[in-house]
Amino acid sequence: MRIGIDKMAFATTNDYLDLVELAKERGVDPNKFTIGIGQDLQAVVPPTQDIVTLGATAAKKLLTPELEKNISTVIVATESGIDNSKASAIYIKHLLGLSDFIRTVEMKEACYSATAAIQFAKGVVALNPQETVLVIAADIARYGLNTPGEVTQGAGAVAMLISRNPHILTLEDTTVAYSKDIMDFWRPLYATEALVDGKYSTNVYIEFFLQTFTRYQQLTGRELADFAALTFHMPFTKMGKKGLEGLLKDRNDEVAQRLRTQLTASQLFSRQVGNLYTGSLYLSLMSLLQNSDLRAESRIGLFSYGSGAEGEFYTGILEDGYEHYMNNIQEELKHRHQVSVAEYEKLFSSQLGMNDRDIEFDVTTDPLPFVLKGQKDHQRIYEAK
């Protein structure tokens, strides 16, 4: 039985910041951001949006009444949780109007957990072929204003339906997971911004990719020539390049050139949105599929990484007509609203965060279908517009 990704959709906020403008404001050479880090634009989050609203918006693009009937499980992968107990998946299920006879859970392991969610979803479908699992990777990456990590912020959600006979990508059986207790990036319970050792984290990322890919080759006997493309977790697009070059080194034959070309295609959307944490790998996959000419039956490698740290390398086979089962991301990104650095700073500081007060936000200017109206009696209030 073939099991894999049947449909995919992406959602982000309506506002964005031009990183050239940010660089000028911070007194930094813009090339440091656009070339050195590999980022051009960054999603800016108004207080009326969070992982629940973004996750629901992405999922809404996938669903039809017929598809909803088969959903047995909703899994939200995030490191931007809104409650230490209640799963964000419950809120999303309610906003989407899904049946109450559905299990809803939230998963965490830094940027990696969406991959674990997909693997668990595959197991659910293998046991119950009539069922479909909705997996949502939703995150808001925050490092603070005027900090070294500011340029690698971002926000968005990728929603995926995992089912039998998928229309986008059939997942192959061999997968390699690798984990170690490492402090390269973490966020204590008392902090709204992450703590990170950037250079160390990059080195660990490359090491985990090489470890998992080498092990995969040992298990399967496959070579680089067997892959049409490799996709990477991209907290910033230069990270994916570092991973690929760590494998290719000085190699410059036809296979290496093809993989570099496809990497560029997979970076395009991340350059315009920023860091999605759990969703970054899957936005890069969608970028690859919408900006390249890959053919059906092509093998794609996926490297997932989450600091702390865990990595996984797995593969999928592209299905015929895959391009018809995703929303057109580039077209949607064209209609966002650019904000100034001053506006971005104000919005950044207006988030609900760790606030125990009652608060009501003005939602009239937010065009997304789901909004966070505020908080009352320590409860978040959501609305479907």
Side-chain angles (χ1 to χ4, degrees):
M1 179 170 55
R2 296 185 299 106
I3 301 173
I5 302 174
D6 184 56
K7 295 180 71 177
M8 302 181 78
F10 169 70
T12 188
T13 62
N14 188 56
D15 298 324
Y16 74 91
L17 175 67
D18 188 323
L19 293 181
V20 171
E21 296 301 315
L22 180 65
K24 292 176 180 177
E25 182 69 23
R26 300 293 186 246
V28 175
D29 180 354
N31 288 336
K32 181 177 180 181
F33 291 174
T34 60
I35 298 175
I37 301 296
Q39 298 299 127
D40 296 324
L41 309 176
Q42 183 178 105
V44 174
V45 187
T48 50
Q49 292 296 315
D50 66 4
I51 61 165
V52 168
T53 58
L54 291 171
T57 298
K60 182 180 174 65
K61 299 176 183 181
L62 296 177
L63 300 180
T64 65
E66 191 62 32
L67 288 173
E68 289 175 12
K69 295 176 184 177
N70 297 324
I71 295 176
S72 68
T73 305
V74 179
I75 307 175
V76 175
T78 187
E79 57 178 280
S80 310
I82 57 162
D83 191 281
N84 286 328
S85 178
K86 187 173 179 178
S88 53
I90 294 238
Y91 293 102
I92 292 176
K93 186 220 80 165
H94 174 72
L95 286 175
L96 294 173
L98 297 177
S99 167
D100 288 342
F101 292 98
I102 288 178
R103 67 175 66 87
T104 53
V105 292
E106 183 175 313
M107 298 182 61
K108 179 179 71 178
E109 202 327 278
C111 302
Y112 162 77
S113 59
T115 298
I118 287 172
Q119 298 297 351
F120 296 164
K122 182 181 177 183
V124 169
V125 177
L127 289 172
N128 305 280
Q130 76 281 6
E131 296 182 3
T132 296
V133 179
L134 172 59
V135 172
I136 299 170
D139 267 303
I140 296 173
R142 289 172 59 94
Y143 294 96
L145 300 176
N146 208 3
T147 63
E150 184 177 29
V151 67
T152 62
Q153 297 179 142
V158 176
M160 297 169 276
L161 293 179
I162 309 302
S163 71
R164 65 176 174 175
N165 301 325
H167 286 101
I168 296 179
L169 195 71
T170 293
L171 302 181
E172 295 189 289
D173 290 336
T174 302
T175 178
V176 178
Y178 186 78
S179 59
K180 285 185 177 182
D181 186 0
I182 290 172
M183 299 300 289
D184 61 328
F185 169 107
W186 68 103
R187 182 167 66 82
L189 289 175
Y190 52 79
T192 57
E193 282 82 47
L195 302 173
V196 59
D197 184 338
K199 183 174 289 188
Y200 179 44
S201 187
T202 298
N203 291 337
V204 173
Y205 173 102
I206 296 170
E207 176 200 344
F208 274 45
F209 170 55
L210 296 178
Q211 289 279 6
T212 55
F213 185 77
T214 299
R215 178 63 174 162
Y216 174 87
Q217 286 186 301
Q218 292 170 347
L219 293 173
T220 63
R222 294 188 179 119
E223 302 294 334
L224 276 176
D226 295 314
F227 293 90
L230 298 176
T231 54
F232 293 83
H233 164 58
M234 289 185 193
F236 53 95
T237 64
K238 197 66 173 287
M239 183 76 99
K241 179 177 174 61
K242 288 176 182 289
L244 181 61
E245 294 304 328
L247 177 66
L248 297 179
K249 300 186 185 303
D250 296 328
R251 185 168 170 175
N252 200 34
D253 56 14
E254 184 276 333
V255 171
Q257 291 178 15
R258 182 183 74 242
L259 294 177
R260 290 187 177 105
T261 297
Q262 302 294 19
L263 175 71
T264 299
S266 74
Q267 293 172 320
L268 295 178
F269 294 156
S270 293
R271 291 189 71 97
Q272 300 177 64
V273 175
N275 193 351
L276 301 190
Y277 286 159
T278 53
S280 292
L281 169 61
Y282 299 99
L283 180 59
S284 72
L285 174 61
M286 294 183 75
S287 184
L288 171 70
L289 298 183
Q290 294 188 18
N291 294 290
S292 66
D293 56 356
L294 291 174
R295 293 178 295 182
E297 301 186 7
S298 295
R299 175 174 288 110
I300 298 174
L302 300 95
F303 174 63
S304 180
Y305 177 78
S307 295
E310 186 155 2
E312 183 164 343
F313 183 83
Y314 70 110
T315 60
I317 302 298
L318 207 53
E319 294 294 330
D320 186 33
Y322 65 86
E323 64 273 15
H324 302 299
Y325 295 88
M326 298 174 284
N327 64 310
N328 187 327
I329 295 176
Q330 188 59 60
E331 185 61 31
E332 293 182 8
L333 291 178
K334 291 179 183 177
H335 300 289
R336 292 182 297 169
H337 168 250
Q338 181 176 348
V339 298
S340 67
V341 175
E343 290 172 314
Y344 144 71
E345 292 177 339
K346 181 180 180 181
L347 291 170
F348 186 92
S349 301
S350 299
Q351 299 297 302
L352 185 58
M354 295 184 179
N355 195 328
D356 64 357
R357 303 193 315 272
D358 287 354
I359 187 169
E360 184 173 353
F361 297 128
D362 178 7
V363 301
T364 58
T365 60
D366 193 323
L368 268 65
F370 304 103
V371 291
L372 171 63
K373 293 186 65 177
Q375 180 172 271
K376 186 175 182 180
D377 298 329
H378 307 285
Q379 300 175 41
R380 289 188 176 224
I381 310 299
Y382 294 100
E383 179 181 272
K385 297 178 73 175

